[in-house]
Amino acid sequence: MPEAYLCLRHREIENIDQMDVYRQNGGFSAWEKAISQMQPDEVTTEVFDSGLRGRGGAGFPTGLKWRFMDGNNWPHYVVVNADESEPGTFKDREIMESNPLQFLEGVMLTSYAVGANLSYIYLRGEFWELAHYLDERIAELEKEGLLGDKLFGSDYSLRIRTHLGAGAYICGEETALLESLEGKLGQPRVRPPFPPSFGLYGKPTVVNNVETLTNVPLIIEHGSSYYRKWGTEKSAGTKVFSLSGRVKKPGNYELPLGTTFRELIYEYGGGIIDDKEVKAIMPAGASSSMIVANDEALDTPMDYENVPNVGAQLGSASIIVIDETVSMDWLINKTVHFFKHESCGKCTPCREGTFWMSNVTERVHEGQANWEDVILLQDVATNIKGKCLCALGDFATEAVTTAIERFPEDFKAKAKSNGAASEELVETSAAVAD
Amino acid sequence: MNALRESYGQEIDQILAKYPDDEKRSAVMPLLFVAMRKDGYVNKQDLEDIGEIIGRSSTDVASILGFYTLFHDKPEGKYRIQVCNDLPCALRGADEYLDNLCDNLGIRPGETTEDGVVTLEAVMCLAACDKAPMFQVQDYNGVAYHENQTVESTMQLVESWRAEGGKDA
């Protein structure tokens, strides 16, 4: 399928980051139309009908999330999740750097739809220069009369503020992000209540991803059916796929949902480095299950409903490509090390489990372990899964358990290379594990 | 007297204005960044000062300082080279790059060069996976990205800092 630039419009329209160019291309017409001609509910309905789903990873229907906002508790807030920290994800940064006005218009429309007069953009601390850039653009919008008090002669007022994090993956989890924005440790909250009833400062809050909101201006400008020209019934629109790993041309590719892995990796990504064989695909970054990259998997459409058929989730669509040169014991040592570092320490299974998993993956990778250690690793992972307040605990286990299940040969080879483990033991315990 | 407020009064007021009147605790992270501007780390007096500004204890402020990786509580190199060697970057040669950089700088991750110019760190994903090897530089004033790096290009950058006069620049 051909690329379709809805979020990455800067690749088609030069200088769309400039106010006059953006306006010549329909920029802020949706904003003016919403304030002057539409009720907030109508904006929400248009987004609901478009089928737009959250692009941060969960894929939750965006319009439905907005409808959950508690109308009996005010003020309301919109908080943009620009904490982009999943290994393999680098799409939100490109959108904000290169198509900032469309992104900001999306934040504005969302704020209007849910009745927020103050909205925050929470950026990871590493996006330091980007945050200052957005501050300048927000000031420009205020000067142009597009942000501020009594907009277009209405009673509606809106201010947008940026807030920088300071290096913590966990703050991409929405309730940890809210805690962090409140000036507390970035640790997840017990849910329910969910942010639309108890969010920032205990008030109803919509938390949405950068890419999600960047789609909104086009949906309001052209209508929900326009957006459904791309994608599938259940996965409408386009998605920015962040392609990384062992491909010739890594980068962001905005394609209709439902494009196959094969098209992305071979047509857009140019195939595997040195024309090696593709071995596995991680479609949702380091949090991903390992997909065995056989023909069936390569021909699977990348959308919310089909990726589970090959044993993974689409998530944030950060596609990390693994080739035959990579051994899974090395790979999971990397991902486990990441989650151990990023565990916030609140839930015991995640805090302790990632620590012990990392001890074992290190030992396996160094060739100092036998097959029993591999079984132990599975056991620790299983004891983390489903036992934590947020998804980080589960995420830490996905690559580990699926790598061992789907690529046992890599681990057997490691166990065998350790002189202490007899080949017989490896084979027997592998049979038990099967 | 609040030393932090004395040095950065106007900027602190602008930061506080970003948050609702009864929610000034939200300013703790931006204020920690302000405190690091003088010499790259947060000292005990800063903790007291920030606590006073937002109406929290210095212990509370210290907990935030300790939680996030971009905040520092001791003096180190003037420039922190923070190399991403997480999975996607490692698949594109970041581990080899980091090893070579270590050899060239004569330090390991976590260490500082003798002249005090560079602290080298290995960090988690920086959202630049398609432009590996890459790193960010954190200095007293903020963070900047350096992508598609070679050891040679990085050493040139380091030499330019050294030419500026290192610690006294």
Side-chain angles (χ1 to χ4, degrees):
Chain A
M1 284 185 229
E3 286 182 89
Y5 297 126
L6 276 67
C7 290
L8 305 182
R9 274 168 88 211
H10 54 279
R11 295 196 179 179
E12 211 162 50
I13 304 169
E14 212 178 328
N15 299 325
I16 197 164
D17 57 335
Q18 299 305 310
M19 182 65 75
D20 52 341
V21 177
Y22 183 59
R23 287 196 131 161
Q24 281 157 21
N25 286 278
F28 297 113
S29 59
W31 179 230
E32 194 164 351
K33 175 167 119 180
I35 302 262
S36 341
Q37 299 166 30
M38 294 172 84
Q39 293 299 314
D41 287 354
E42 293 176 291
V43 176
T44 301
T45 298
E46 203 66 48
V47 171
F48 181 84
D49 291 344
S50 76
L52 176 65
R53 295 170 64 165
R55 300 294 192 235
F60 192 82
T62 305
L64 186 60
K65 188 187 261 190
W66 298 0
R67 282 185 179 163
F68 286 155
M69 289 289 274
D70 181 356
N72 296 317
N73 189 2
W74 296 86
H76 289 180
Y77 293 103
V78 169
V79 175
V80 184
N81 187 341
D83 193 59
E84 182 160 65
S85 304
E86 180 67 42
T89 312
F90 44 89
K91 64 190 177 64
D92 295 338
R93 191 178 143 217
E94 178 176 348
I95 292 170
M96 290 186 288
E97 278 176 355
S98 304
N99 193 9
L101 297 174
Q102 187 179 324
F103 159 62
L104 289 170
E105 189 179 2
V107 181
M108 290 149 73
L109 287 162
T110 307
S111 304
Y112 178 71
V114 303
N117 300 113
L118 178 59
S119 296
Y120 289 97
I121 303 168
Y122 184 105
L123 299 111
R124 60 178 300 175
E126 292 80 357
F127 290 171
W128 181 279
E129 291 176 322
L130 181 52
H132 290 89
Y133 174 66
L134 289 177
D135 284 342
E136 289 168 15
R137 305 318 299 265
I138 290 166
E140 193 183 340
L141 294 179
E142 289 179 353
K143 213 171 137 201
E144 292 268 329
L146 292 163
L147 272 177
D149 296 328
K150 300 199 178 300
L151 294 160
F152 306 111
S154 72
D155 284 336
Y156 183 68
S157 305
L158 175 63
R159 301 282 175 184
I160 299 177
R161 304 279 179 251
T162 60
H163 182 97
L164 271 175
Y169 170 77
I170 188 63
C171 292
E173 194 283 331
E174 62 178 8
T175 61
L177 185 154
L178 294 172
E179 290 284 296
S180 176
L181 181 49
E182 290 181 2
K184 302 169 188 165
L185 296 184
Q187 293 185 316
R189 295 175 181 170
V190 178
R191 288 167 298 174
F194 292 91
S197 45
F198 189 93
L200 182 63
Y201 309 129
K203 296 297 177 186
T205 302
V206 152
V207 184
N208 274 136
N209 169 264
V210 171
E211 184 188 352
T212 312
L213 298 189
T214 305
N215 282 299
V216 172
L218 297 179
I219 292 169
I220 301 305
E221 187 187 343
H222 301 294
S224 56
S225 53
Y226 170 81
Y227 193 68
R228 286 189 173 276
K229 288 202 311 196
W230 296 275
T232 68
E233 171 66 27
K234 287 182 179 161
S235 304
T238 61
K239 179 81 191 74
V240 181
F241 295 93
S242 293
L243 181 64
S244 70
R246 305 285 300 164
V247 287
K248 288 178 187 166
K249 293 190 285 180
N252 287 317
Y253 296 94
E254 185 169 9
L255 298 161
L257 281 156
T259 305
T260 64
F261 284 109
R262 191 187 299 278
E263 280 177 273
L264 177 67
I265 295 170
Y266 287 94
E267 283 182 34
Y268 294 102
I272 309 296
I273 295 172
D274 296 333
D275 295 316
K276 298 279 186 193
E277 286 293 314
V278 59
K279 176 174 179 174
I281 302 166
M282 300 179 81
S287 303
S288 195
S289 298
M290 308 295 309
I291 297 178
V292 180
N294 52 25
D295 282 340
E296 185 203 349
L298 286 169
D299 290 323
T300 297
M302 297 183 291
D303 53 36
Y304 297 106
E305 60 270 29
N306 278 301
V307 176
N309 295 337
V310 283
Q313 300 291 330
L314 182 63
S316 56
S318 10
I319 317 285
I320 306 175
V321 179
I322 314 298
D323 70 1
E324 58 182 321
T325 66
V326 178
S327 181
M328 290 295 162
D329 59 284
W330 172 84
L331 187 149
I332 63 166
N333 194 35
K334 279 280 180 195
T335 62
V336 167
H337 178 69
F338 172 81
F339 288 109
K340 173 195 165 196
H341 186 271
E342 298 299 341
S343 174
C344 79
K346 186 165 182 168
C347 309
T348 309
C350 173
R351 181 187 66 239
E352 301 297 316
T354 52
F355 174 83
W356 288 107
M357 278 205 300
S358 116
N359 277 2
V360 183
T361 55
E362 190 71 36
R363 205 157 69 218
V364 172
H365 176 58
E366 295 297 327
Q368 294 164 352
N370 57 35
W371 187 256
E372 285 159 318
D373 291 293
V374 179
I375 308 253
L376 174 65
L377 195 52
Q378 284 280 46
D379 188 48
V380 177
T382 312
N383 278 297
I384 298 172
K385 199 164 182 177
K387 297 183 176 65
C388 305
L389 285 178
C390 83
L392 192 147
D394 287 359
F395 288 165
T397 70
E398 300 290 354
V400 174
T401 54
T402 54
I404 298 172
E405 276 163 27
R406 298 172 190 175
F407 299 92
E409 294 306 323
D410 290 18
F411 295 92
K412 285 179 189 165
K414 274 288 171 181
K416 275 179 195 165
S417 74
N418 175 21
S422 74
E423 201 152 310
E424 196 186 343
L425 176 64
V426 170
E427 295 305 330
T428 347
S429 48
V432 172
D434 288 345
Chain B
M1 187 61 206
N2 194 305
L4 202 62
R5 202 178 246 298
E6 203 168 316
S7 304
Y8 304 103
Q10 196 185 349
E11 189 177 347
I12 289 172
D13 287 338
Q14 283 170 359
I15 289 170
L16 292 171
K18 287 174 115 174
Y19 308 99
D21 285 340
D22 45 356
E23 306 290 355
K24 297 308 179 194
R25 187 181 184 178
S26 281
V28 65
M29 293 171 74
L31 291 174
L32 283 165
F33 279 123
V34 169
M36 290 203 303
R37 200 173 303 156
K38 195 156 68 71
D39 25 43
Y41 74 103
V42 178
N43 64 36
K44 278 200 168 162
Q45 187 58 49
D46 296 326
L47 294 177
E48 299 281 345
D49 290 351
I50 293 172
E52 191 184 293
I53 294 169
I54 61 168
R56 307 292 305 184
S57 71
S58 61
T59 311
D60 208 36
V61 180
S63 74
I64 303 300
L65 169 68
F67 187 83
Y68 297 94
T69 55
L70 287 175
F71 295 139
H72 308 288
D73 61 0
K74 56 178 185 294
E76 287 179 291
K78 184 167 161 57
Y79 298 94
R80 293 169 180 275
I81 297 184
Q82 299 165 334
V83 178
C84 174
N85 68 339
D86 223 335
L87 175 65
C89 279
L91 288 168
R92 305 191 72 79
D95 281 332
E96 297 75 14
Y97 163 83
L98 180 59
D99 277 347
N100 284 333
L101 187 61
C102 284
D103 292 345
N104 274 268
L105 287 169
I107 50 173
R108 302 300 303 167
E111 296 175 353
T112 302
T113 53
E114 265 181 28
D115 58 9
V117 174
V118 175
T119 295
L120 185 62
E121 295 168 285
V123 300
M124 300 298 145
C125 187
L126 298 175
C129 322
D130 56 336
K131 301 185 178 72
M134 63 81 59
F135 58 86
Q136 64 183 6
V137 173
Q138 184 180 18
D139 64 12
Y140 300 178
N141 290 311
V143 179
Y145 275 49
H146 296 264
E147 300 172 316
N148 296 317
Q149 288 288 306
T150 61
V151 171
E152 293 70 37
S153 64
T154 310
M155 288 310 294
Q156 275 175 19
L157 184 67
V158 171
E159 290 313 320
S160 74
W161 294 335
R162 286 182 168 146
E164 282 167 19
K167 246 188 167 158
D168 307 320

